[in-house]
Amino acid sequence: MRAPPEPVQVVKQRRDAALSALVHGVPYIQYLGIVFDRRGDELTATLPFDEKLIGNPMLPALHGGVTAAFLEVTAVIELSWSLLWEGMEAGQIDPATLTAEALPRLPKTIDFTVDYLRSGLPRDAYARARVNRSGRRYASVHVEAWQDNRTRLFAQATGHFLMPARDG
């Protein structure tokens, strides 16, 4: 006899707790104020506007370093989340036991190329990453960022990452 499935809310709470532990394990994410919204296995990063993020007060425009950091953080969290998601779905990772200290190591950036398409305006920014390839040792990720219109990107990036060794 098979056990009945868990209620959907319990599963959602566990997944949200795992994402929260992943995001809160990186202090720079809190400094920038980046938050992640999860819908199933898809993540959207939000960089809420803050005066400290302005690089050129004459325009005003988001600092290029903030834009690059936002894109890179989005790529790393998406990549890490996709690995966590696979492990949770396969039953190899129990999200109830995940804390910031017990999380797998984050991927390390090999290279990260940013295309600045237009100035980031003084308002909230959003980004989504797509994992193009993820193997045992290497991963490739593409990230797109926009503000008011999803089809009008203000920056995009491609990154290559060294994957942490998997236990087992």
Side-chain angles (χ1 to χ4, degrees), residues 5-166:
E6 289 184 293
V8 172
Q9 276 310 110
V10 172
V11 174
K12 286 175 71 175
Q13 286 172 347
R14 263 199 239 135
R15 289 176 178 160
D16 289 342
L19 177 60
S20 178
L22 180 64
V23 170
H24 286 86
V26 182
Y28 191 56
I29 294 175
Q30 275 68 62
Y31 175 75
L32 290 177
I34 300 171
V35 293
F36 287 84
D37 181 38
R38 181 188 68 79
R39 297 283 183 250
D41 67 342
E42 183 178 80
L43 297 179
T44 300
T46 303
L47 176 67
F49 174 72
D50 189 326
E51 285 292 329
K52 72 182 178 192
L53 306 177
I54 295 295
N56 184 343
M58 298 304 288
L59 291 178
L62 290 177
H63 191 283
V66 169
T67 299
F70 177 49
L71 293 168
E72 188 172 4
V73 162
T74 302
V76 168
I77 295 298
E78 175 65 38
L79 193 52
S80 299
W81 176 248
S82 67
L83 294 174
L84 273 178
W85 182 271
E86 286 175 21
M88 287 187 294
E89 293 299 301
Q92 300 164 340
I93 297 174
D94 179 8
T97 64
L98 286 177
T99 62
E101 296 79 32
L103 285 169
R105 290 190 338 228
L106 295 174
K108 293 187 186 244
T109 305
I110 297 171
D111 66 57
F112 199 75
T113 304
V114 178
D115 298 326
Y116 297 97
L117 305 173
R118 63 184 93 267
S119 293
L121 301 172
R123 55 184 65 133
D124 293 355
Y126 308 93
R128 281 201 189 129
R130 181 183 68 249
V131 177
N132 293 327
R133 180 196 186 286
S134 181
R136 286 187 11 225
R137 300 184 64 197
Y138 164 88
S140 174
V141 181
H142 181 76
V143 190
E144 296 179 339
W146 69 96
Q147 290 185 305
D148 296 327
N149 183 340
R150 174 82 169 92
T151 62
R152 192 169 148 80
L153 304 179
F154 76 94
Q156 64 183 4
T158 301
H160 301 104
F161 299 88
L162 181 63
M163 300 303 292
R166 294 186 188 183

